[in-house]
């Protein structure tokens, strides 16, 4: 099993900035732990350090982060050889809670993947739901 390769990313979008450290490893065995399946070849593993080294994320925050990886799935899958799996781990994340927009977790995952694997950012359709005061991907 390979070690994680860690990369820091600084996302500035909406009204919130997100600084995160995430890493990846290529493994020959499908993860059997509580990793979240993005595709058959890509898995996400929350590995957040304890506060104050990282903010805590709830299930909804993690869902939006995984949505960003899901939007990058085609390009990420191309980076993984047949018979291997890509495991992405999120080690730390920080952001200003006073201006939190949950969609920025999606954007930060997209930016991290783009920078880490040198792949283009896809066009993403975003819609505003003014009744719920949220954006939809």
């Amino acid at each position: 099993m390979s070690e994680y390769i860690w990369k820091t990313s600084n996302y500035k979008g909406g009204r919130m900035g997100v600084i995160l450290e995430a890493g990846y490893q290529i493994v020959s065995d499908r993860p059997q732990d509580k990793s979240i399946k993005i595709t058959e070849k890509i898995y996400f593993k929350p590995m957040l350090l304890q506060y104050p080294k990282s903010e805590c994320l709830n299930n909804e925050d993690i869902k939006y982060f995984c949505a960003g990886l899901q939007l990058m799935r085609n390009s990420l899958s191309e980076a993984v050889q047949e018979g291997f799996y890509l495991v992405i781990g999120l080690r730390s994340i920080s952001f200003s809670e006073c201006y939190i927009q949950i969609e920025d977790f999606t954007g930060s995952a997209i930016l991290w993947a783009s920078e880490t694997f040198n792949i283009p950012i896809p066009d993403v359709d975003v819609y505003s739901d003014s009744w719920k005061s949220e954006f939809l991907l």
Side-chain angles (χ1 to χ4, degrees):
M1 184 187 294
S2 66
E3 294 292 320
Y4 278 88
I5 298 170
W6 299 100
K7 174 143 176 67
T8 301
S9 183
N10 188 358
Y11 172 82
K12 295 176 186 160
R15 296 184 321 204
M16 180 174 98
V18 177
I19 300 170
L20 65 86
E21 183 180 25
Y24 71 93
Q25 66 179 173
I26 305 292
V27 297
S28 58
D29 295 322
R30 182 177 311 209
Q32 300 297 318
D33 56 11
K34 294 183 180 182
S35 296
I36 299 167
K37 181 178 174 182
I38 305 297
T39 71
E40 287 297 324
K41 293 170 65 172
I42 303 169
Y43 292 81
F44 172 72
K45 189 175 190 175
M47 306 167 65
L48 293 170
L49 300 170
Q50 290 186 345
Y51 184 83
K53 293 182 180 182
S54 177
E55 299 289 337
C56 296
L57 295 182
N58 62 36
N59 288 339
E60 188 76 3
D61 300 337
I62 291 172
K63 178 180 127 185
Y64 272 80
F65 190 87
C66 287
L69 299 176
Q70 183 72 26
L71 289 167
M72 299 295 283
R73 71 186 176 277
N74 292 339
S75 295
L76 289 172
S77 291
E78 290 175 7
V80 182
Q81 294 178 357
E82 192 63 37
F84 289 90
Y85 302 90
L86 172 65
V87 180
I88 297 170
L90 179 60
R91 183 158 66 179
S92 69
I93 189 165
S94 60
F95 49 88
S96 172
E97 290 190 39
C98 60
Y99 293 116
I100 191 164
Q101 290 182 299
I102 199 163
E103 300 82 10
D104 287 329
F105 295 128
T106 302
S108 66
I110 291 170
L111 181 64
W112 175 85
S114 174
E115 292 173 344
T116 301
F117 293 97
N118 197 27
I119 52 180
I121 294 174
D123 291 329
V124 178
D125 293 325
V126 179
Y127 305 93
S128 174
D129 184 342
S130 59
W131 291 99
K132 292 184 178 179
S133 298
E134 66 182 9
F135 293 97
L136 305 172
L137 301 173

